[in-house]
Amino acid sequence: MLESVLLILVAVWLLVLLSQNRRNKNFPPGPRTIPFIGNLLELNLENPIVDLDRLTKRYGNVYSFSIGPRPGIVINGVQAFKEAFINKAAAFSGRPNDQYANRVVRQNDGVPGLILSDNTSAWREHRRFGLMTLRNFGLGKNSMEKRILTETQYTIKILEQSHGKPMDPYQLFHKATSNVMCQILFARRFDYEDETINFFLGFFHEINKAVNGRWGLIYDCVPLVRYLPLPFQRVFKTVQTAKEKYLKAVVENNKTRIPGQPRHVIDCYLDELDERGDDGSSFSEKQLCAFLFDLHVAGADTTANTLLFGFLYLTAYPKVQERCQEEIDKVLDGKDQASFEDRDQMPYVQAVLHEIQRVGNIAPLSVFHCATRDSELMGYSIPKGTIVIPNLHSVLSEEGQWKYPHEFNPENFLNEKGEFVKPEAFIPFSLGPRMCLGENLARMELFLIMVTLLRRFKFIWPEDAGEPDFAPSFGIVQSPKPFFMKVILREKNCG
Ligand code: HEM
Ligand SMILES: *[C@@H]1O[C@H](CO)[C@@H](O)[C@H](O)[C@H]1NC(C)=O
Ligand SMILES: *[C@@H]1O[C@H](CO)[C@@H](O)[C@H](O)[C@H]1NC(C)=O
């Protein structure tokens, strides 16, 4: 009995090895794969980035790496990024559609949404609509700028209550950026104690943990277990509840809207639906809910974690913080509020913000792509269907691209004259046709929130808190480990 089981196992093993050997000879080199789980044992899931760096040293900028049974490649360095996502964008801008994350977002309505959609007409139409709508909110009294500054006033109130005491900024920043997204999506903010906002925070955390976690990987590697009542099922329930909340917002806003006078993203979308009627487009109520879900998830966590890294570095590097404050005081002298335009007069602040994004590296592996046709990359053959893992971390710390690739140093973005310069390897939002849709909004938020808070407060690393730990907790979206900062009202702006 045992013998026959062993025999079958050996046979399966050989079959898999054979099928791999049949793989194109010119496929990129990489570590040896194991049947079913691929190369996952190469990674320490606590910090896989270190392992990926090691593999780059060994195999070069493009190497093979399988996620479970699916063949994949990892792309490193700005040169390979540009070849894949710009020069050969049409071959490398798909998304895998059978991963755990896909299953999570399809919960409830069956549509893949925007972020994880392959190159379909629904993706193209929603991407164009999303870019246009966010751009149209640039101006006017309901502008994004206004919405961000209004939310920042609530953040200030909480920080004032913490004057002189150490506080953990995690919840505060996540709530603020979630509210900015809700303001843009359906013109609502939630009180920081509100049940809904706490639901959203818990939900983002759960998704981020699940998709990267062991259970998500098991789901990807062993299709047979997908329908069993294992922990990954819980996330589906939470996603369902979230989508119900977005649907409720759609239905409520539909009652009060005036066609042609959009107040927010939902109204814009409903106008679009009215206009298109039955023209066969992909716009629908279901797609709208998936779209709201995608923007909220993509927009809130990313920006909040960047802010957290920002304040971690600014408290750990008080000289850098002071120099920012000097520049802010000078440029904003006599003004009530900062505006996004002021950034042109603040080269040092700009350099610091960019350096925070570079070292914070909050989406280290971007979002996985998929090869949509057979093609070539850096001389290797990449067949259709290959999963493509863009290692953004490798570009943001690439030797030869940065003056100081491995340390926090705003000089990375300043020339000899002290002017702000942006090296081409600065791509925290990735590049090409799939690049982040919310880049402008994110940069506006980071600038306005940072500048407004630094103008009013001084942030100090508590004396008894030990050494700051800059190592991130790994995730699709990384965050710093929890930390406390002491908040002091600045003399000048106390009144
Ligand atoms: C600091 C903040 C942010 C960072 C670092 C960031 C980074 C990224 C990255 C690396 C990608 C993947 C690009 C690719 O697949 O090649 C992405 C995609 C995306 N981001 Fe962001 N993001 C941020 C904020 C935002 C915000 C505020 C929004 C909301 C409006 C947003 C919406 C999206 C969407 C919709 C996609 C999917 C685009 C597509 O698949 O076509 N992001 N982002
Ligand atoms: C998406 O697919 C269309 C139609 O097949 C193609 O023309 C276009 O180049 C593709 N775009 C990207 C970014 O892959
Ligand atoms: C909005 O309300 C109108 C009129 O009551 C209705 O016909 C339409 O289906 C609603 N749309 C959505 C997306 O709920």
Side-chain angles (χ1 to χ4, degrees):
M1 176 63 194
L2 183 65
E3 257 166 284
S4 48
V5 170
L6 275 178
L7 261 178
I8 290 171
L9 279 179
V10 170
V12 169
W13 177 281
L14 282 176
L15 264 177
V16 174
L17 282 184
L18 272 177
S19 69
Q20 278 170 353
N21 283 343
R22 250 188 279 131
R23 206 191 263 173
N24 193 323
K25 277 276 173 313
N26 195 27
F27 199 65
R32 176 177 286 279
T33 56
I34 298 173
F36 302 115
I37 59 173
N39 293 117
L40 286 173
L41 294 186
E42 298 284 335
L43 301 184
N44 166 6
L45 292 182
E46 296 300 317
N47 192 356
I49 300 298
V50 174
D51 299 316
L52 293 178
D53 280 349
R54 177 174 50 79
L55 293 171
T56 312
K57 289 223 169 72
R58 176 138 179 229
Y59 297 107
N61 276 338
V62 176
Y63 59 85
S64 61
F65 193 92
S66 302
I67 305 279
R70 284 282 296 270
I73 56 171
V74 181
I75 300 190
N76 301 277
V78 72
Q79 198 197 342
F81 261 71
K82 286 199 312 200
E83 182 176 337
F85 303 125
I86 294 182
N87 301 346
K88 298 181 176 163
F92 288 102
S93 298
R95 298 272 194 223
N97 54 26
D98 59 352
Q99 306 288 101
Y100 177 59
N102 302 104
R103 172 67 185 80
V104 169
V105 300
R106 268 198 282 253
Q107 177 67 27
N108 232 31
D109 44 32
V111 295
L114 194 166
I115 305 176
L116 296 186
S117 170
D118 210 345
N119 176 9
T120 59
S121 59
W123 169 68
R124 289 192 297 273
E125 287 173 353
H126 281 77
R127 184 162 171 109
R128 195 176 314 126
F129 169 80
L131 282 169
M132 201 181 65
T133 309
L134 288 178
R135 196 173 317 125
N136 290 346
F137 279 119
L139 304 165
K141 70 175 172 23
N142 286 327
S143 69
M144 293 203 298
E145 195 160 331
K146 179 87 188 306
R147 292 175 211 227
I148 296 164
L149 288 169
T150 305
E151 187 58 38
T152 311
Q153 289 308 312
Y154 292 93
T155 314
I156 286 182
K157 269 199 204 120
I158 304 284
L159 288 172
E160 279 173 348
Q161 288 161 14
S162 311
H163 171 71
K165 291 176 292 200
M167 62 96 61
D168 175 354
Y170 182 90
Q171 294 260 334
L172 181 60
F173 289 161
H174 276 81
K175 287 177 178 174
T177 58
S178 171
N179 270 343
V180 170
M181 281 319 299
C182 290
Q183 283 284 8
I184 290 167
L185 298 178
F186 43 87
R188 264 208 69 180
R189 73 172 297 276
F190 298 92
D191 193 81
Y192 289 158
E193 305 304 321
D194 188 280
E195 202 184 306
T196 307
I197 200 168
N198 283 308
F199 165 80
F200 282 134
L201 251 58
F203 157 60
F204 297 151
H205 184 74
E206 195 175 330
I207 287 201
N208 198 11
K209 259 181 63 178
V211 171
N212 276 294
R214 282 154 228 274
W215 287 107
L217 290 172
I218 290 174
Y219 184 98
D220 287 346
C221 295
V222 197
L224 283 175
V225 305
R226 293 185 179 181
Y227 299 95
L228 300 180
L230 291 169
F232 46 68
Q233 304 282 358
R234 217 190 56 212
V235 180
F236 303 148
K237 263 203 119 85
T238 320
V239 172
Q240 173 133 0
T241 313
K243 290 224 173 141
E244 280 157 11
K245 289 191 193 294
Y246 298 120
L247 181 61
K248 202 170 137 216
V250 170
V251 171
E252 273 170 12
N253 282 290
N254 189 28
K255 286 185 201 141
T256 53
R257 76 185 258 256
I258 302 169
Q261 292 183 26
R263 302 158 293 182
H264 42 59
V265 169
I266 291 185
D267 280 359
C268 292
Y269 197 103
L270 294 176
D271 280 352
E272 189 81 15
L273 262 182
D274 283 353
E275 237 165 71
R276 287 175 177 257
D278 289 327
D279 71 349
S281 80
S282 60
F283 288 77
S284 69
E285 192 178 300
K286 272 185 188 171
Q287 287 280 7
L288 171 53
C289 289
F291 184 68
L292 297 171
F293 170 91
D294 271 13
L295 290 191
H296 197 189
V297 171
D301 245 13
T302 46
T303 318
N305 287 331
T306 309
L307 286 171
L308 286 172
F309 274 113
F311 283 91
L312 175 63
Y313 279 99
L314 288 169
T315 52
Y317 290 80
K319 291 252 157 53
V320 173
Q321 183 179 162
E322 275 160 34
R323 214 174 134 188
C324 288
Q325 280 157 334
E326 277 164 30
E327 195 177 68
I328 292 168
D329 289 347
K330 200 174 89 216
V331 174
L332 295 188
D333 188 35
K335 284 203 200 178
D336 280 353
Q337 284 182 321
S339 92
F340 193 38
E341 278 178 5
D342 294 328
R343 71 192 185 285
D344 296 334
Q345 270 104 65
M346 298 189 191
Y348 189 74
V349 170
Q350 278 278 77
V352 170
L353 284 178
H354 284 71
E355 182 66 354
I356 286 166
Q357 280 206 272
R358 188 185 75 82
V359 294
N361 179 27
I362 57 124
L365 301 181
S366 184
V367 178
F368 291 3
H369 287 225
C370 185
T372 53
R373 57 178 82 153
D374 293 349
S375 67
E376 287 211 340
L377 180 62
M378 305 284 275
Y380 296 115
S381 310
I382 313 294
K384 177 176 175 174
T386 305
I387 292 187
V388 176
I389 303 174
N391 185 353
L392 276 182
H393 157 80
S394 72
V395 183
L396 294 178
S397 60
E398 187 171 1
E399 283 164 17
Q401 300 291 335
W402 302 98
K403 283 187 255 176
Y404 305 97
H406 305 298
E407 63 183 78
F408 176 78
N409 191 337
E411 292 297 325
N412 276 317
F413 293 91
L414 294 168
N415 65 14
E416 322 76 59
K417 290 188 228 144
E419 291 159 343
F420 173 69
V421 284
K422 188 152 72 175
E424 80 169 337
F426 181 75
I427 53 163
F429 300 99
S430 190
L431 35 71
R434 276 284 181 176
M435 90 177 275
C436 179
L437 187 108
E439 173 180 2
N440 248 327
L441 171 59
R443 296 202 308 118
M444 193 185 271
E445 275 187 81
L446 293 174
F447 180 81
L448 292 175
I449 297 176
M450 285 278 194
V451 165
T452 307
L453 297 186
L454 284 174
R455 190 185 192 195
R456 191 155 181 87
F457 303 103
K458 181 174 176 170
F459 299 90
I460 301 172
W461 187 256
E463 301 89 38
D464 56 356
E467 286 294 306
D469 180 0
F470 301 110
S473 308
F474 178 72
I476 348 173
V477 180
Q478 309 201 110
S479 59
K481 312 233 166 61
F483 66 94
F484 283 79
M485 58 189 194
K486 204 156 119 186
V487 185
I488 306 283
L489 268 168
R490 292 180 66 213
E491 294 292 323
K492 245 189 162 152
N493 297 297
C494 271

